[in-house]
Amino acid sequence: MLMFKFFFLLFSFLFSFNSYSYWQQRVEYKISIDFDHKNHQFLGEQNLKYFNNSKDTINKVYFHLYFNAFQPGSMMDVRSRSLPDPDRRVMDRISKLSKNEIGFHQIKKIEQDGKSLIHHTQGTVLEVELAYPLMPNQSTDFYLEYLSQVPVQIRRSGRNSKEGIDYSMAQWFPKIAEYDENGWHANPYIAREFYAPWGDFDVSISINKDYIVAATGILESKKKVNNKNIWNFKAKDVHDFVWAADPDYVHDILKVDSENLELHFYYQKTNDEMVSNWKRLQDDTADAFRYINKKFGKYPYTKYSVIQGGDGGMEYPMATLITGERSYPSLLSVTVHEVLHSWYQMLLGTNESYLAWMDEGFTSFAQNITFNNEFNDIYKLDSKNPLEGSYNRYYNFIKTGLEEPLSTHSDHFSTNQAYGVGSYTKGAIFLMQLGYIIGEEKLYSGLRRYYNEWKFKHPDEYDFLRIMEKESDIELDWYMDYWVKTTHQIDYSLEVFEKDKSTVSININRIGKMPMPIEVQVIYDDLKSENYYIPLSIMRGEKYNSNDNIILLKDWEWVNESYQIDLDIEEKKINKIILDPSGKMADVDKSNNTIEFE
Ligand SMILES: [Zn+2]
C-alpha cells in the first residue's frame, strides 16, 4: 500500500509538472529548388517532418505563402493604400505590378505520409486538412511541390533591388505556421513580423552557374551540373532560412578566432567608397560581436553573413539583408542593429506580431549600448543616457495623440508611426527604465540570464518578466501593466516649502497615472549632494545599488498622489533639487522636475 502511495505521488508530481512545462513544435525541412533566372521562377520540392510536441491532437495545419502578398488587391496592397502613413517602400506599388512582376506560390501537390491532402489557398495562407490526425508526441511527413515566381523588389523579398541585387530571397518557401500554447498563428502577411517553429533546414538551390549564393547556414557542397550549380546549405536550430544571389557579389570572409566565428560579407563593387565602407565594416562587425557576446550572451553559431540585398535592413537567422550604398555610419548602424536581432528574435524567438517591442525595442536598446561602448567616436551618444534620443522621440510622439498600447498586434496599429515608436522607441525605453527600477547591474545580469534560459525557444513577455523578478527580487507586474498594456504616462512634479529655519519639505506630486519609484537629488551650496530613493510598496523590495551613497526612504503606496520628504538642513543652504537626476524615468513633463534656489 505504501509502495502504491509512493508511485501515486510520484506519478501525480510528474503529471502536474508536465502539464505546466514548456513545449514547442519542431520542424525538419529538406528543400530542393530548380531556379529559372530568365523567368524569375522556381520549382520547389519540399519535405517537412513536423513534430507535434503539444498536448493537442492536430487536424489541420497552415503554411505561409508570403510571395502571394505581392499581387494587386492582396491584403498587403489594400492595407498599404488605406493607411494614413504607408511605408514609402510599398505605397501603391503592389497595385501596379503586372502579371510577370507579381509574386506567387502555386501549390501543385501536398501529401501527408504519401496521402494527398485537401488544401485551400487564401491569400498568403495555405489551409490544409490532414489525412490522419496528428497525435501528441507524434511526427508526420509532409511533401509539397510548388511553382513560385519572385516578385519585383517591393519589401524585403524580391528581384532586381534598386541597388541592382538580382535576388533577395526572404520568405520564399511555404513555411508552416507556428502552433503554441495559444494555438495557431496563421497570420496573413500584411506588413511585418514573423513567427515560426524551430528546426533544421537542408536547402539545395540549383541556379545558373554565374550566380554567387549567400544564405543562412553552412555551405555543405557546390556541384556543377550542366550550366547550373547546386548549392547545398544546412542550418541547425533556426526558425527561418534566407538566401540571396547575384553574379557580381564580392565575397569576403573574416575569421574571428576569439569568438569561434566566421563573418561573411557579400556586396557589389559599385564604386570606391562602397568598397572602402564594406572593407572597414568587417573589423567593426567583429568588434561588435566581441562586445555583444560579453554583454548580452554568447552567439552560438559559427557563421554570420552580412549580405547586400533587400530594401533597408532585415534580420534572419545567421544572416542579414541590408542595402549597401550608405554612408559609413549608416552602414555600421544597420549592421549592428541586424546583428543584435540574432539575440532578440533569431534566438529569443518571441512572437513578433504581439511582441514587436521585445525584438525591435530590445534590439534598439542593445544597439545604443553597443554604440556607446564601442563606436562612440562615430555616434557621439550621451554616455549618461545613451537612449536620450529615444526618450525625446517618445515625448514628441505622444503629443500627436496617436499612441497605442505596445500590446497591439503589429499589423493592427492604426498608423505606421504608432507601430514604429511603440515597438522601437518605447520598447527600447522599456529596458532602460527597467534598469532604473531594478538597478543597472541586475538589468544586464538579467538580460544574460534571460538569454541563457530562453535562447532557441519562444519566450513571451511574462517569461522575461519572471526572469527579471527572480534576478532583482522585485515584483514587476505593475511595470508591464502600465508601460506595455496602456498608454498611461509618467509625470511627477516637485514643490518645496520651508517649514522652519532648519527644515525644508519637499513635496513630490504624481500627476501622470503611471506610478514609479522616485529618485531625488538635493545639491547644496558647497556642491555636496544627497540622493534620496523612494521605492514603490508594490515592488515588494528595492533596487540593488552598488553605490551606497543613496538614502533609502520609506515606500510610496501608489494610491497616494503625493509624498513628502522633510529635510533637516541645519546650517546648510540648498542650491538645487532635482527629480530623476539620471533622466532615465520617462517623465513626460520635465519643466516641473527641478527647483533652483536663489
Ligand atoms: Zn530591427
Side-chain angles (χ1 to χ4, degrees):
M1 192 61 187
L2 214 80
M3 203 61 176
F4 172 79
K5 227 173 177 171
F6 171 75
F7 280 114
F8 177 78
L9 282 172
L10 182 72
F11 178 78
S12 45
F13 168 75
L14 286 175
F15 187 79
S16 67
F17 178 75
N18 269 338
S19 65
Y20 290 106
S21 67
Y22 176 82
W23 54 268
Q24 64 189 20
Q25 306 297 65
R26 182 175 162 76
V27 289
E28 283 172 13
Y29 284 98
K30 193 168 196 299
I31 307 174
S32 297
I33 64 167
D34 191 12
F35 204 91
D36 168 5
H37 72 287
K38 294 212 173 82
N39 291 309
H40 313 293
Q41 293 184 347
F42 59 92
L43 282 167
E45 290 181 1
Q46 181 168 316
N47 293 286
L48 166 64
K49 196 179 242 325
Y50 182 72
F51 296 83
N52 178 17
N53 296 326
S54 77
K55 306 283 173 285
D56 307 325
T57 300
I58 289 175
N59 296 300
K60 288 187 286 189
V61 297
Y62 301 93
F63 288 80
H64 296 285
L65 304 176
Y66 294 111
F67 278 4
N68 289 356
F70 303 102
Q71 296 173 5
S74 71
M75 287 179 76
M76 188 178 199
D77 176 32
V78 173
R79 183 68 171 161
S80 178
R81 285 185 287 126
S82 46
L83 275 175
D85 59 342
D87 187 321
R88 281 155 171 257
R89 294 165 289 201
V90 184
M91 309 287 281
D92 62 351
R93 288 176 65 213
I94 297 174
S95 70
K96 293 177 175 161
L97 293 176
S98 66
K99 224 174 160 190
N100 60 4
E101 291 173 330
I102 62 168
F104 63 70
H105 295 291
Q106 288 170 6
I107 303 301
K108 302 287 183 196
K109 188 191 261 187
I110 174 161
E111 293 175 350
Q112 179 191 10
D113 300 327
K115 272 226 153 187
S116 90
L117 297 176
I118 299 168
H119 59 94
H120 171 68
T121 298
Q122 170 86 44
T124 55
V125 178
L126 174 69
E127 305 167 350
V128 182
E129 279 179 43
L130 297 191
Y132 320 95
L134 176 56
M135 307 305 281
N137 303 312
Q138 299 290 311
S139 70
T140 195
D141 291 295
F142 294 107
Y143 174 73
L144 288 84
E145 282 177 16
Y146 46 91
L147 172 70
S148 300
Q149 179 166 291
V150 185
V152 164
Q153 176 83 42
I154 302 281
R155 188 77 184 93
R156 300 193 181 100
S157 219
R159 68 195 205 228
N160 308 328
S161 75
K162 66 178 192 305
E163 293 186 351
I165 301 300
D166 283 14
Y167 296 108
S168 299
M169 298 293 288
Q171 294 98 38
W172 58 276
F173 62 97
K175 185 179 178 190
I176 197 160
E178 183 58 294
Y179 182 85
D180 65 15
E181 73 276 17
N182 298 314
W184 282 105
H185 298 276
N187 291 317
Y189 183 38
I190 291 167
R192 55 176 71 96
E193 309 310 353
F194 304 94
Y195 184 49
W198 286 95
D200 299 340
F201 285 75
D202 177 340
V203 177
S204 293
I205 299 158
S206 171
I207 191 168
N208 179 281
K209 63 177 174 24
D210 296 336
Y211 281 90
I212 292 165
V213 177
T216 293
I218 307 290
L219 178 64
E220 294 288 322
S221 63
K222 184 179 139 191
K223 269 193 283 222
K224 192 159 175 284
V225 180
N226 302 321
N227 62 342
K228 286 185 167 180
N229 279 323
I230 302 173
W231 301 68
N232 175 242
F233 293 90
K234 285 187 180 149
K236 278 186 118 32
D237 295 321
V238 292
H239 52 75
D240 200 1
F241 188 99
V242 71
W243 62 281
D246 195 275
D248 306 317
Y249 270 146
V250 179
H251 178 195
D252 293 339
I253 302 172
L254 178 68
K255 286 192 160 74
V256 191
D257 293 335
S258 64
E259 313 305 294
N260 188 28
L261 179 66
E262 257 185 23
L263 294 175
H264 292 240
F265 298 85
Y266 298 85
Y267 57 99
Q268 285 182 337
K269 279 188 175 163
T270 311
N271 53 51
D272 291 350
E273 193 199 346
M274 171 95 186
V275 175
S276 90
N277 281 348
W278 277 75
K279 293 282 180 201
R280 184 178 167 194
L281 179 65
Q282 300 177 15
D283 279 335
D284 281 349
T285 306
D287 284 343
F289 266 98
R290 281 187 199 99
Y291 175 76
I292 299 163
N293 277 341
K294 256 198 246 125
K295 191 81 179 172
F296 299 102
K298 174 87 171 68
Y299 179 76
Y301 308 110
T302 55
K303 184 182 167 193
Y304 187 84
S305 300
V306 183
I307 306 164
Q308 186 187 3
D311 60 7
M314 184 63 192
E315 67 275 15
Y316 302 99
M318 303 173 71
T320 176
L321 296 184
I322 59 170
T323 49
E325 294 170 21
R326 297 161 173 264
S327 68
Y328 188 70
S330 165
L331 182 66
L332 177 63
S333 164
V334 71
T335 303
V336 170
H337 179 92
E338 305 308 341
V339 159
L340 274 159
H341 272 303
S342 294
W343 281 254
Y344 304 109
Q345 228 288 311
M346 293 305 127
L347 283 152
L348 295 157
T350 44
N351 179 355
E352 289 182 295
S353 301
Y354 288 101
L355 302 166
W357 60 276
M358 286 181 76
D359 69 277
E360 292 305 349
F362 287 20
T363 293
S364 301
F365 167 83
Q367 177 190 346
N368 282 290
I369 300 303
T370 305
F371 284 173
N372 184 49
N373 280 277
E374 293 296 300
F375 308 111
N376 222 18
D377 51 330
I378 298 177
Y379 298 106
K380 304 196 175 9
L381 298 174
D382 175 6
S383 291
K384 210 177 111 199
N385 182 2
L387 271 87
E388 204 185 13
S390 302
Y391 281 72
N392 290 333
R393 247 190 320 281
Y394 163 69
Y395 300 143
N396 286 328
F397 179 66
I398 55 175
K399 290 182 197 148
T400 65
L402 295 174
E403 195 197 1
E404 295 172 60
L406 293 193
S407 53
T408 307
H409 185 293
S410 61
D411 281 327
H412 292 257
F413 279 93
S414 307
T415 61
N416 266 321
Q417 232 194 327
Y419 159 78
V421 176
S423 53
Y424 289 78
T425 309
K426 215 180 157 188
I429 299 170
F430 175 92
L431 282 189
M432 199 59 164
Q433 200 167 236
L434 180 62
Y436 166 81
I437 297 167
I438 66 175
E440 215 167 272
E441 286 175 44
K442 294 293 177 191
L443 173 70
Y444 289 108
S445 60
L447 280 169
R448 285 188 292 272
R449 182 168 172 184
Y450 169 55
Y451 177 75
N452 289 327
E453 289 188 24
W454 284 99
K455 65 187 170 191
F456 300 112
K457 293 181 190 157
H458 292 306
D460 65 20
E461 67 273 49
Y462 292 102
D463 298 319
F464 175 75
L465 204 70
R466 287 298 298 130
I467 296 275
M468 288 301 178
E469 288 189 336
K470 286 185 214 166
E471 194 68 14
S472 64
D473 211 12
I474 287 176
E475 207 175 305
L476 293 166
D477 48 356
W478 59 275
Y479 181 52
M480 180 83 79
D481 291 343
Y482 276 94
W483 192 253
V484 173
K485 301 199 167 158
T486 76
T487 55
H488 292 327
Q489 296 165 5
I490 302 165
D491 184 17
Y492 284 87
S493 71
L494 274 182
E495 255 178 327
V496 175
F497 50 94
E498 269 179 44
K499 263 195 164 163
D500 52 58
K501 281 229 159 112
S502 61
T503 318
V504 163
S505 281
I506 304 173
N507 254 18
I508 304 158
N509 303 311
R510 179 167 58 79
I511 300 166
K513 281 191 177 151
M514 179 166 170
M516 281 292 274
I518 294 296
E519 292 178 17
V520 176
Q521 185 176 42
V522 179
I523 303 172
Y524 293 95
D525 264 0
D526 59 3
L527 296 181
K528 284 197 180 128
S529 63
E530 285 164 350
N531 294 289
Y532 293 90
Y533 168 50
I534 311 161
L536 286 169
S537 63
I538 48 175
M539 289 162 59
R540 311 263 74 94
E542 63 260 2
K543 79 163 147 183
Y544 169 75
N545 286 301
S546 52
N547 97 52
D548 40 31
N549 193 11
I550 278 171
I551 302 160
L552 176 66
L553 300 177
K554 69 174 192 329
D555 287 355
W556 186 331
E557 294 179 320
W558 69 268
V559 291
N560 295 312
E561 286 178 355
S562 63
Y563 186 105
Q564 190 171 317
I565 309 172
D566 287 331
L567 280 185
D568 190 5
I569 58 168
E570 289 159 12
E571 298 299 291
K572 289 182 284 186
K573 276 195 85 177
I574 297 176
N575 176 281
K576 205 195 266 187
I577 302 177
I578 307 167
L579 181 80
D580 181 30
S582 73
K584 287 177 185 164
M585 183 174 87
D587 187 316
V588 299
D589 180 8
K590 305 274 185 208
S591 68
N592 48 20
N593 287 15
T594 305
I595 293 180
E596 296 197 47
F597 292 75
E598 293 294 300

